[in-house]
Short mmCIF file of all heavy atoms in Angstrom, two decimals:
data_model
loop_
_atom_site.label_atom_id
_atom_site.label_comp_id
_atom_site.label_asym_id
_atom_site.label_seq_id
_atom_site.Cartn_x
_atom_site.Cartn_y
_atom_site.Cartn_z
N GLU B 100 8.92 4.91 -7.55
CA GLU B 100 9.74 6.08 -7.19
C GLU B 100 10.19 5.93 -5.75
O GLU B 100 11.33 6.23 -5.40
CB GLU B 100 8.97 7.37 -7.36
CG GLU B 100 8.78 7.80 -8.80
CD GLU B 100 7.78 8.94 -8.98
OE1 GLU B 100 7.08 9.32 -8.00
OE2 GLU B 100 7.67 9.45 -10.10
N GLY B 101 9.31 5.49 -4.88
CA GLY B 101 9.64 5.29 -3.48
C GLY B 101 10.72 4.24 -3.31
O GLY B 101 11.68 4.41 -2.53
N ALA B 102 10.60 3.13 -4.04
CA ALA B 102 11.60 2.06 -3.94
C ALA B 102 12.96 2.58 -4.41
O ALA B 102 14.00 2.27 -3.78
CB ALA B 102 11.15 0.85 -4.75
N ALA B 103 12.98 3.33 -5.50
CA ALA B 103 14.26 3.87 -6.01
C ALA B 103 14.83 4.89 -5.03
O ALA B 103 16.05 4.95 -4.79
CB ALA B 103 14.03 4.51 -7.40
N ARG B 104 13.97 5.71 -4.43
CA ARG B 104 14.44 6.71 -3.44
C ARG B 104 15.07 6.04 -2.25
O ARG B 104 16.11 6.44 -1.74
CB ARG B 104 13.26 7.60 -3.02
CG ARG B 104 13.58 8.64 -1.93
CD ARG B 104 12.38 9.47 -1.52
NE ARG B 104 11.22 8.68 -1.17
CZ ARG B 104 11.12 7.93 -0.06
NH1 ARG B 104 12.13 7.89 0.82
NH2 ARG B 104 10.01 7.21 0.19
N GLU B 105 14.43 4.97 -1.77
CA GLU B 105 14.97 4.26 -0.61
C GLU B 105 16.32 3.62 -0.93
O GLU B 105 17.23 3.63 -0.08
CB GLU B 105 13.99 3.21 -0.10
CG GLU B 105 12.73 3.83 0.54
CD GLU B 105 13.00 4.55 1.85
OE1 GLU B 105 14.03 4.28 2.49
OE2 GLU B 105 12.18 5.42 2.24
N ALA B 106 16.47 3.07 -2.15
CA ALA B 106 17.79 2.49 -2.51
C ALA B 106 18.87 3.57 -2.51
O ALA B 106 20.00 3.34 -2.08
CB ALA B 106 17.69 1.82 -3.87
N LEU B 107 18.48 4.74 -2.96
CA LEU B 107 19.42 5.85 -2.99
C LEU B 107 19.73 6.37 -1.59
O LEU B 107 20.89 6.60 -1.24
CB LEU B 107 18.82 6.98 -3.85
CG LEU B 107 19.77 8.07 -4.35
CD1 LEU B 107 20.88 7.50 -5.23
CD2 LEU B 107 18.99 9.12 -5.14
N GLU B 108 18.70 6.49 -0.75
CA GLU B 108 18.92 7.02 0.61
C GLU B 108 19.71 6.04 1.48
O GLU B 108 20.57 6.43 2.25
CB GLU B 108 17.57 7.31 1.28
CG GLU B 108 16.90 8.58 0.76
CD GLU B 108 15.55 8.84 1.41
OE1 GLU B 108 15.20 8.17 2.41
OE2 GLU B 108 14.82 9.71 0.91
N GLU B 109 19.39 4.78 1.38
CA GLU B 109 19.97 3.81 2.31
C GLU B 109 21.28 3.21 1.82
O GLU B 109 22.09 2.76 2.62
CB GLU B 109 18.96 2.67 2.59
CG GLU B 109 17.68 3.20 3.18
CD GLU B 109 16.76 2.15 3.76
OE1 GLU B 109 17.01 0.96 3.54
OE2 GLU B 109 15.78 2.53 4.43
N ALA B 110 21.47 3.23 0.49
CA ALA B 110 22.64 2.55 -0.07
C ALA B 110 23.34 3.38 -1.15
O ALA B 110 24.25 2.86 -1.79
CB ALA B 110 22.25 1.20 -0.61
N ASN B 111 22.94 4.62 -1.32
CA ASN B 111 23.48 5.44 -2.41
C ASN B 111 23.50 4.61 -3.72
O ASN B 111 24.47 4.68 -4.48
CB ASN B 111 24.87 5.96 -2.06
CG ASN B 111 24.83 6.97 -0.92
OD1 ASN B 111 24.16 7.99 -1.04
ND2 ASN B 111 25.52 6.68 0.17
N ALA B 112 22.48 3.86 -3.92
CA ALA B 112 22.42 2.93 -5.05
C ALA B 112 21.37 3.32 -6.06
O ALA B 112 20.25 3.72 -5.67
CB ALA B 112 22.14 1.51 -4.56
N ARG B 113 21.69 3.21 -7.32
CA ARG B 113 20.74 3.49 -8.39
C ARG B 113 20.18 2.16 -8.91
O ARG B 113 20.95 1.23 -9.22
CB ARG B 113 21.43 4.26 -9.52
CG ARG B 113 21.66 5.75 -9.22
CD ARG B 113 22.93 6.27 -9.82
NE ARG B 113 24.07 5.60 -9.20
CZ ARG B 113 24.54 5.89 -7.96
NH1 ARG B 113 24.01 6.86 -7.26
NH2 ARG B 113 25.57 5.21 -7.46
N ILE B 114 18.85 2.10 -8.95
CA ILE B 114 18.21 0.86 -9.43
C ILE B 114 17.21 1.16 -10.54
O ILE B 114 16.79 2.30 -10.70
CB ILE B 114 17.47 0.12 -8.29
CG1 ILE B 114 16.30 1.01 -7.75
CG2 ILE B 114 18.40 -0.29 -7.16
CD1 ILE B 114 15.32 0.27 -6.85
N GLU B 115 16.90 0.11 -11.29
CA GLU B 115 15.81 0.19 -12.25
C GLU B 115 14.81 -0.88 -11.84
O GLU B 115 15.16 -2.08 -11.82
CB GLU B 115 16.31 -0.07 -13.65
CG GLU B 115 15.26 0.04 -14.73
CD GLU B 115 15.89 -0.21 -16.09
OE1 GLU B 115 16.51 0.72 -16.63
OE2 GLU B 115 15.78 -1.35 -16.58
N VAL B 116 13.61 -0.45 -11.49
CA VAL B 116 12.60 -1.41 -11.05
C VAL B 116 12.15 -2.26 -12.23
O VAL B 116 11.88 -1.74 -13.31
CB VAL B 116 11.40 -0.69 -10.40
CG1 VAL B 116 10.22 -1.64 -10.21
CG2 VAL B 116 11.81 -0.06 -9.06
N GLU B 117 12.11 -3.58 -12.03
CA GLU B 117 11.72 -4.47 -13.13
C GLU B 117 10.33 -5.04 -12.99
O GLU B 117 9.59 -5.07 -13.95
CB GLU B 117 12.75 -5.60 -13.23
CG GLU B 117 14.12 -5.06 -13.60
CD GLU B 117 15.08 -6.17 -14.00
OE1 GLU B 117 15.22 -7.15 -13.24
OE2 GLU B 117 15.68 -6.07 -15.07
N GLN B 118 10.00 -5.52 -11.77
CA GLN B 118 8.69 -6.18 -11.65
C GLN B 118 8.20 -6.15 -10.20
O GLN B 118 8.98 -6.19 -9.26
CB GLN B 118 8.81 -7.63 -12.14
CG GLN B 118 7.50 -8.39 -12.21
CD GLN B 118 6.39 -7.73 -13.01
OE1 GLN B 118 5.79 -6.75 -12.52
NE2 GLN B 118 6.10 -8.23 -14.20
N LEU B 119 6.88 -6.07 -10.06
CA LEU B 119 6.22 -6.22 -8.76
C LEU B 119 6.47 -7.65 -8.29
O LEU B 119 6.32 -8.59 -9.06
CB LEU B 119 4.71 -5.99 -8.96
CG LEU B 119 3.78 -6.26 -7.78
CD1 LEU B 119 4.12 -5.34 -6.59
CD2 LEU B 119 2.34 -6.05 -8.22
N TYR B 120 6.86 -7.81 -7.04
CA TYR B 120 7.25 -9.17 -6.60
C TYR B 120 6.47 -9.64 -5.38
O TYR B 120 5.73 -10.62 -5.47
CB TYR B 120 8.76 -9.25 -6.41
CG TYR B 120 9.26 -10.65 -6.18
CD1 TYR B 120 8.76 -11.68 -6.95
CD2 TYR B 120 10.21 -10.93 -5.21
CE1 TYR B 120 9.21 -12.99 -6.75
CE2 TYR B 120 10.66 -12.22 -5.00
CZ TYR B 120 10.16 -13.24 -5.77
OH TYR B 120 10.59 -14.52 -5.55
N THR B 121 6.65 -9.00 -4.23
CA THR B 121 5.95 -9.49 -3.03
C THR B 121 5.17 -8.39 -2.34
O THR B 121 5.51 -7.19 -2.43
CB THR B 121 6.93 -10.09 -1.98
OG1 THR B 121 7.83 -9.09 -1.54
CG2 THR B 121 7.67 -11.27 -2.55
N LEU B 122 4.11 -8.81 -1.68
CA LEU B 122 3.32 -7.90 -0.83
C LEU B 122 3.00 -8.63 0.47
O LEU B 122 2.35 -9.68 0.45
CB LEU B 122 2.02 -7.50 -1.56
CG LEU B 122 1.15 -6.49 -0.81
CD1 LEU B 122 0.46 -5.56 -1.80
CD2 LEU B 122 0.08 -7.18 0.02
N PHE B 123 3.52 -8.10 1.56
CA PHE B 123 3.24 -8.68 2.86
C PHE B 123 2.52 -7.67 3.75
O PHE B 123 3.02 -6.55 3.94
CB PHE B 123 4.54 -9.15 3.55
CG PHE B 123 5.10 -10.39 2.92
CD1 PHE B 123 6.20 -10.31 2.09
CD2 PHE B 123 4.49 -11.62 3.13
CE1 PHE B 123 6.70 -11.46 1.47
CE2 PHE B 123 5.00 -12.76 2.51
CZ PHE B 123 6.10 -12.68 1.67
N SER B 124 1.42 -8.09 4.31
CA SER B 124 0.68 -7.25 5.28
C SER B 124 1.20 -7.55 6.68
O SER B 124 1.44 -8.74 7.00
CB SER B 124 -0.82 -7.56 5.23
OG SER B 124 -1.34 -7.33 3.94
N VAL B 125 1.35 -6.53 7.48
CA VAL B 125 1.77 -6.70 8.88
C VAL B 125 0.70 -6.00 9.72
O VAL B 125 0.87 -4.88 10.15
CB VAL B 125 3.17 -6.11 9.12
CG1 VAL B 125 3.75 -6.60 10.44
CG2 VAL B 125 4.14 -6.42 7.98
N PRO B 126 -0.47 -6.70 9.90
CA PRO B 126 -1.62 -6.02 10.45
C PRO B 126 -1.45 -5.49 11.88
O PRO B 126 -2.06 -4.48 12.20
CB PRO B 126 -2.75 -7.06 10.36
CG PRO B 126 -2.05 -8.38 10.24
CD PRO B 126 -0.76 -8.08 9.51
N HIS B 127 -0.63 -6.13 12.69
CA HIS B 127 -0.51 -5.66 14.08
C HIS B 127 0.22 -4.32 14.18
O HIS B 127 0.15 -3.68 15.22
CB HIS B 127 0.11 -6.72 14.98
CG HIS B 127 1.50 -7.14 14.60
ND1 HIS B 127 1.77 -7.88 13.48
CD2 HIS B 127 2.70 -6.98 15.19
CE1 HIS B 127 3.06 -8.12 13.40
NE2 HIS B 127 3.65 -7.57 14.44
N ILE B 128 0.92 -3.93 13.13
CA ILE B 128 1.48 -2.60 13.11
C ILE B 128 0.95 -1.79 11.93
O ILE B 128 1.47 -0.71 11.60
CB ILE B 128 3.04 -2.60 13.11
CG1 ILE B 128 3.59 -3.52 12.02
CG2 ILE B 128 3.57 -3.05 14.47
CD1 ILE B 128 5.12 -3.44 11.87
N SER B 129 -0.11 -2.30 11.30
CA SER B 129 -0.78 -1.61 10.21
C SER B 129 0.19 -1.12 9.12
O SER B 129 0.25 0.06 8.78
CB SER B 129 -1.66 -0.45 10.74
OG SER B 129 -2.72 -0.96 11.50
#
Side-chain angles (χ1 to χ4, degrees):
Chain B
E100 286 169 350
R104 177 181 52 70
E105 291 292 338
L107 197 60
E108 286 178 10
E109 300 192 352
N111 292 302
R113 282 145 297 282
I114 63 167
E115 182 179 280
V116 168
E117 296 192 309
Q118 186 53 286
L119 174 62
Y120 190 42
T121 62
L122 183 145
F123 288 103
S124 301
V125 195
H127 60 291
I128 51 173
S129 294

